[in-house]
């Protein structure tokens, strides 16, 4: 199962969970998982400026609502094989 398959499975699970949680649900933590096509390590220097700004604005909005925010790098598959 590749990363895309895992993400699609998670997407479906989240939609099913949303039906069970109700409209007043607020998560305690949100994790932004980011994968770079270049295979480079995720840093603020190699994330597009627009992405940096969008991520910062979203993190600020979530933190203002008491939600913890984290960023995780998704390793890119080795395409050299």
């Amino acid at each position: 199962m590749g990363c895309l398959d895992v993400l699609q499975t998670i997407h479906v699970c989240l939609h099913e969970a949303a039906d069970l949680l109700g409209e007043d649900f607020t998560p305690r933590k949100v994790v932004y998982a980011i994968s770079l096509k270049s295979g480079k390590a995720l840093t603020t220097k190699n994330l597009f400026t627009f992405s940096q700004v969008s991520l910062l604005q979203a993190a600020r909005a979530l933190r203002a609502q008491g939600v913890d925010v984290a960023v995780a790098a998704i390793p890119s598959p080795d395409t050299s094989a």
Side-chain angles (χ1 to χ4, degrees), residues 14 21-32 58 61-69:
L14 288 174
L21 294 173
E23 293 181 23
D24 60 343
F25 172 76
T26 300
R28 285 183 246 147
K29 185 171 191 173
V30 171
V31 179
Y32 287 93
L62 287 165
R63 287 181 179 147
Q65 296 176 33
V67 179
D68 289 331
V69 178

